[in-house]
């Protein structure tokens, strides 16, 4: 049973560019959440997708957007990259039940130069 | 407001010592869920345990045990006879059923555990 997968593993971009990160959920899961983890900090919630719609959003600017596809996979897009966007981006999948455990992928390490 | 506090930033122990990682949470919800995750140097968050607010039973899984006390809003994690492989950053997280966070995870800042041989 495949777990949560993310691509790419690492990414280097320059300020002002745009980036797309991808996530495939664990089998049987229909909800995908994205988190940003800065160095030395705990993960911060970006947004959550269910039934191809953004169900909930954390305190992140509109430069951060996402999408969920009919097969439940998801993308995170970040426009106009800033140096401060450098972080580990984690995708988590779960069922729609709000208290369900979220299982995390290996993350994408984004470096903005 | 919802909040998770892990006051211990770093802990260093020698192998075979017992170690307890503290977690204190704040929420106004009566229904909520608590989690512990382990993050080894590879970066992936590994799920360890989930507890709901109505289940205060302590849990033991091998060398790991968890003490949930609603009276003190704490959910502490103990590793017995620690091993070098336990070295990682450990995160405590809170998820509310109906409150402002409604299902997303609120993480503490983590405790970095180093187990020396």
């Amino acid at each position: 049973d495949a777990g949560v997968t993310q691509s790419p593993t690492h990414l280097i971009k320059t300020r002002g560019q745009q980036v797309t990160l991808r996530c495939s959920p664990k089998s049987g899961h229909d909800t995908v959440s994205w988190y940003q983890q800065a160095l030395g900090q705990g993960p911060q919630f970006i947004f959550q997708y269910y039934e191809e719609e953004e169900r909930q959003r954390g305190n992140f600017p509109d430069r951060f957007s996402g999408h969920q596809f009919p097969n439940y996979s998801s993308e995170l897009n970040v426009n106009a990259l800033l140096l401060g966007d450098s972080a580990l981006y984690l995708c988590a999948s779960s069922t729609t039940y709000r208290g369900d455990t979220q299982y995390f992928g290996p993350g994408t390490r984004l470096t903005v130069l | 407001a919802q909040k998770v506090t892990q006051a211990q930033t770093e802990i260093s122990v020698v192998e075979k010592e017992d170690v307890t990682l503290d977690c204190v949470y704040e929420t106004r919800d009566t229904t909520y869920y608590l989690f512990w995750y382990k993050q080894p140097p590879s970066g992936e968050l590994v799920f360890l345990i989930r507890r709901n607010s109505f289940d205060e039973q302590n849990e033991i899984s091998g060398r790991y045990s968890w003490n949930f006390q609603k009276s003190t809003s704490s959910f502490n994690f103990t590793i017995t006879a620690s091993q070098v492989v336990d070295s990682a950053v450990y995160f405590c997280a809170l998820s509310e059923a109906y409150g402002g966070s409604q299902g997303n995870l609120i993480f503490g800042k983590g405790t970095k555990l180093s187990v020396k041989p």
Side-chain angles (χ1 to χ4, degrees):
Chain A
D1 177 24
V4 180
T5 60
Q6 291 186 245
S7 63
T9 307
H10 294 87
L11 209 49
I12 299 175
K13 293 286 188 178
T14 56
R15 280 178 297 176
Q17 284 190 312
Q18 178 263 343
V19 68
T20 297
L21 311 182
R22 295 176 176 82
C23 171
S24 290
K26 190 176 165 68
S27 178
H29 287 176
D30 55 11
T31 301
V32 174
S33 303
W34 287 92
Y35 293 82
Q36 179 195 66
Q37 187 180 18
L39 204 59
Q41 300 296 315
Q44 298 290 316
F45 174 71
I46 303 175
F47 42 55
Q48 184 179 82
Y49 275 84
Y50 170 66
E51 290 190 335
E52 302 179 50
E53 291 192 359
E54 183 182 290
R55 180 161 76 173
Q56 196 181 351
R57 189 179 184 92
N59 189 24
F60 278 80
D62 292 345
R63 297 187 298 108
F64 289 77
S65 63
H67 188 77
Q68 186 179 35
F69 299 94
N71 67 353
Y72 308 121
S73 66
S74 176
E75 287 182 350
L76 163 64
N77 301 293
V78 187
N79 295 323
L81 284 167
L82 304 173
L83 295 180
D85 295 331
S86 295
L88 179 67
Y89 288 85
L90 294 162
C91 168
S93 76
S94 61
T95 67
T96 187
Y97 170 55
R98 293 191 188 278
D100 193 26
T101 299
Q102 294 187 21
Y103 292 89
F104 285 81
T108 294
R109 173 73 62 187
L110 172 64
T111 302
V112 183
L113 302 176
Chain B
Q2 322 87 3
K3 188 178 178 181
V4 174
T5 302
Q6 294 181 255
Q8 304 150 309
T9 307
E10 290 193 43
I11 299 176
S12 182
V13 299
V14 176
E15 212 172 15
K16 296 185 183 177
E17 280 187 39
D18 298 348
V19 57
T20 296
L21 310 182
D22 298 332
C23 172
V24 174
Y25 62 91
E26 294 177 31
T27 176
R28 292 180 182 177
D29 245 13
T30 55
T31 302
Y32 53 89
Y33 307 87
L34 296 165
F35 302 81
W36 276 94
Y37 287 86
K38 174 182 180 179
Q39 189 173 44
S42 62
E44 183 170 348
L45 280 168
V46 178
F47 165 71
L48 296 177
I49 189 171
R50 168 184 177 273
R51 247 312 167 254
N52 74 55
S53 52
F54 300 109
D55 183 2
E56 286 194 73
Q57 270 192 327
N58 292 331
E59 177 149 343
I60 298 175
S61 176
R63 296 183 298 106
Y64 296 170
S65 63
W66 291 269
N67 185 332
F68 176 29
Q69 290 194 338
K70 288 178 74 171
S71 61
T72 55
S73 297
S74 65
F75 186 42
N76 296 337
F77 172 31
T78 297
I79 302 175
T80 302
S82 60
Q83 300 177 0
V84 173
V85 294
D86 296 327
S87 296
V89 180
Y90 290 86
F91 290 97
C92 180
L94 164 71
S95 174
E96 297 174 325
Y98 305 108
S101 64
Q102 287 188 44
N104 65 268
L105 291 170
I106 300 159
F107 285 87
K109 291 188 175 182
T111 297
K112 183 178 180 180
L113 175 64
S114 298
V115 182
K116 302 186 187 312

